[in-house]
Short mmCIF file of all heavy atoms in Angstrom, two decimals:
data_model
loop_
_atom_site.label_atom_id
_atom_site.label_comp_id
_atom_site.label_asym_id
_atom_site.label_seq_id
_atom_site.Cartn_x
_atom_site.Cartn_y
_atom_site.Cartn_z
N LEU Z 1 33.71 113.70 124.45
CA LEU Z 1 33.10 114.87 125.08
C LEU Z 1 34.19 115.90 125.33
O LEU Z 1 35.26 115.54 125.84
CB LEU Z 1 32.44 114.50 126.41
CG LEU Z 1 31.27 113.54 126.36
CD1 LEU Z 1 30.85 113.14 127.77
CD2 LEU Z 1 30.10 114.15 125.60
N THR Z 2 33.94 117.15 124.98
CA THR Z 2 34.91 118.22 125.19
C THR Z 2 34.22 119.37 125.90
O THR Z 2 33.21 119.89 125.40
CB THR Z 2 35.47 118.72 123.84
OG1 THR Z 2 35.99 117.60 123.11
CG2 THR Z 2 36.55 119.75 124.05
N ALA Z 3 34.77 119.75 127.06
CA ALA Z 3 34.13 120.78 127.88
C ALA Z 3 35.09 121.90 128.23
O ALA Z 3 36.28 121.68 128.42
CB ALA Z 3 33.61 120.16 129.18
N SER Z 4 34.55 123.12 128.33
CA SER Z 4 35.36 124.23 128.82
C SER Z 4 35.43 124.10 130.35
O SER Z 4 34.63 123.39 130.96
CB SER Z 4 34.77 125.56 128.39
OG SER Z 4 33.49 125.77 128.94
N PRO Z 5 36.39 124.77 131.00
CA PRO Z 5 36.51 124.70 132.45
C PRO Z 5 35.18 125.07 133.14
O PRO Z 5 34.47 125.97 132.70
CB PRO Z 5 37.59 125.74 132.78
CG PRO Z 5 38.40 125.82 131.52
CD PRO Z 5 37.41 125.63 130.40
N GLY Z 6 34.83 124.30 134.19
CA GLY Z 6 33.60 124.55 134.91
C GLY Z 6 32.43 123.69 134.46
O GLY Z 6 31.36 123.69 135.07
N ILE Z 7 32.61 122.95 133.37
CA ILE Z 7 31.56 122.07 132.85
C ILE Z 7 32.00 120.63 133.04
O ILE Z 7 33.10 120.25 132.64
CB ILE Z 7 31.28 122.37 131.37
CG1 ILE Z 7 30.75 123.79 131.20
CG2 ILE Z 7 30.28 121.36 130.80
CD1 ILE Z 7 30.50 124.21 129.77
N SER Z 8 31.15 119.82 133.67
CA SER Z 8 31.49 118.42 133.89
C SER Z 8 31.20 117.60 132.63
O SER Z 8 30.28 117.89 131.89
CB SER Z 8 30.70 117.85 135.07
OG SER Z 8 29.33 117.80 134.76
N ALA Z 9 32.02 116.57 132.42
CA ALA Z 9 31.86 115.67 131.28
C ALA Z 9 31.88 114.24 131.80
O ALA Z 9 32.86 113.82 132.42
CB ALA Z 9 32.96 115.89 130.25
N GLN Z 10 30.80 113.48 131.56
CA GLN Z 10 30.70 112.11 132.04
C GLN Z 10 30.12 111.20 130.97
O GLN Z 10 29.18 111.58 130.28
CB GLN Z 10 29.79 112.05 133.27
CG GLN Z 10 30.30 112.84 134.46
CD GLN Z 10 29.30 112.83 135.59
OE1 GLN Z 10 28.16 113.22 135.40
NE2 GLN Z 10 29.73 112.37 136.75
N GLY Z 11 30.68 110.02 130.88
CA GLY Z 11 30.17 109.04 129.93
C GLY Z 11 30.56 109.33 128.51
O GLY Z 11 29.69 109.54 127.67
N GLY Z 12 31.85 109.32 128.22
CA GLY Z 12 32.29 109.56 126.85
C GLY Z 12 31.63 108.61 125.86
O GLY Z 12 31.28 109.00 124.76
N GLY Z 13 31.44 107.38 126.27
CA GLY Z 13 30.74 106.41 125.43
C GLY Z 13 29.26 106.36 125.74
O GLY Z 13 28.42 106.48 124.86
N LEU Z 14 28.95 106.19 127.04
CA LEU Z 14 27.56 106.01 127.47
C LEU Z 14 27.34 106.65 128.82
O LEU Z 14 28.13 106.46 129.74
CB LEU Z 14 27.24 104.50 127.54
CG LEU Z 14 25.94 104.06 128.18
CD1 LEU Z 14 24.73 104.59 127.42
CD2 LEU Z 14 25.90 102.54 128.26
N PHE Z 15 26.27 107.41 128.94
CA PHE Z 15 25.83 107.99 130.22
C PHE Z 15 24.42 107.48 130.47
O PHE Z 15 23.54 107.64 129.61
CB PHE Z 15 25.81 109.52 130.15
CG PHE Z 15 25.32 110.17 131.41
CD1 PHE Z 15 26.21 110.64 132.36
CD2 PHE Z 15 23.96 110.32 131.66
CE1 PHE Z 15 25.76 111.25 133.53
CE2 PHE Z 15 23.50 110.92 132.82
CZ PHE Z 15 24.41 111.38 133.75
N SER Z 16 24.20 106.85 131.64
CA SER Z 16 22.86 106.34 131.91
C SER Z 16 22.46 106.56 133.37
O SER Z 16 23.22 106.27 134.28
CB SER Z 16 22.77 104.85 131.59
OG SER Z 16 21.44 104.41 131.78
N LEU Z 17 21.24 107.04 133.55
CA LEU Z 17 20.65 107.18 134.87
C LEU Z 17 19.81 105.95 135.22
O LEU Z 17 19.22 105.89 136.30
CB LEU Z 17 19.78 108.44 134.92
CG LEU Z 17 20.52 109.75 134.71
CD1 LEU Z 17 19.55 110.91 134.62
CD2 LEU Z 17 21.53 109.99 135.83
N PHE Z 18 19.73 104.97 134.31
CA PHE Z 18 18.92 103.78 134.49
C PHE Z 18 19.74 102.54 134.14
O PHE Z 18 20.75 102.64 133.45
CB PHE Z 18 17.67 103.87 133.59
CG PHE Z 18 16.77 105.01 133.96
CD1 PHE Z 18 16.94 106.26 133.40
CD2 PHE Z 18 15.77 104.84 134.91
CE1 PHE Z 18 16.13 107.32 133.76
CE2 PHE Z 18 14.96 105.90 135.27
CZ PHE Z 18 15.13 107.14 134.70
N PRO Z 19 19.30 101.35 134.56
CA PRO Z 19 20.05 100.13 134.25
C PRO Z 19 20.21 99.91 132.74
O PRO Z 19 19.31 100.20 131.96
CB PRO Z 19 19.20 99.01 134.86
CG PRO Z 19 18.41 99.68 135.94
CD PRO Z 19 18.14 101.08 135.42
N VAL Z 20 21.38 99.40 132.37
CA VAL Z 20 21.70 99.09 130.98
C VAL Z 20 22.01 97.60 130.90
O VAL Z 20 22.71 97.06 131.76
CB VAL Z 20 22.93 99.90 130.51
CG1 VAL Z 20 23.36 99.49 129.12
CG2 VAL Z 20 22.63 101.39 130.58
N THR Z 21 21.49 96.93 129.87
CA THR Z 21 21.78 95.52 129.64
C THR Z 21 22.75 95.41 128.48
O THR Z 21 22.46 95.89 127.38
CB THR Z 21 20.49 94.74 129.33
OG1 THR Z 21 19.57 94.91 130.41
CG2 THR Z 21 20.78 93.27 129.13
N LEU Z 22 23.90 94.77 128.73
CA LEU Z 22 24.93 94.59 127.71
C LEU Z 22 25.11 93.11 127.40
O LEU Z 22 25.32 92.31 128.30
CB LEU Z 22 26.28 95.14 128.20
CG LEU Z 22 26.35 96.62 128.56
CD1 LEU Z 22 27.68 96.92 129.22
CD2 LEU Z 22 26.15 97.47 127.34
N THR Z 23 25.03 92.76 126.12
CA THR Z 23 25.30 91.40 125.66
C THR Z 23 26.27 91.48 124.48
O THR Z 23 25.92 92.04 123.43
CB THR Z 23 23.99 90.70 125.21
OG1 THR Z 23 23.06 90.73 126.29
CG2 THR Z 23 24.26 89.26 124.81
N ASN Z 24 27.49 90.95 124.69
CA ASN Z 24 28.51 90.97 123.64
C ASN Z 24 28.70 92.36 123.04
O ASN Z 24 28.84 92.50 121.83
CB ASN Z 24 28.17 89.97 122.52
CG ASN Z 24 28.10 88.55 123.01
OD1 ASN Z 24 28.89 88.15 123.86
ND2 ASN Z 24 27.15 87.79 122.51
#
């Protein structure tokens, strides 16, 4: 993620507002 000043950047790989299930 690349942002100009004043813009927030979150979750370069994954951004989630809900539960995520990870297996291997």
Side-chain angles (χ1 to χ4, degrees):
L1 295 173
T2 306
S4 63
I7 297 177
S8 66
Q10 297 175 304
L14 170 62
F15 178 97
S16 184
L17 297 174
F18 297 89
V20 175
T21 302
L22 300 171
T23 304
N24 299 322

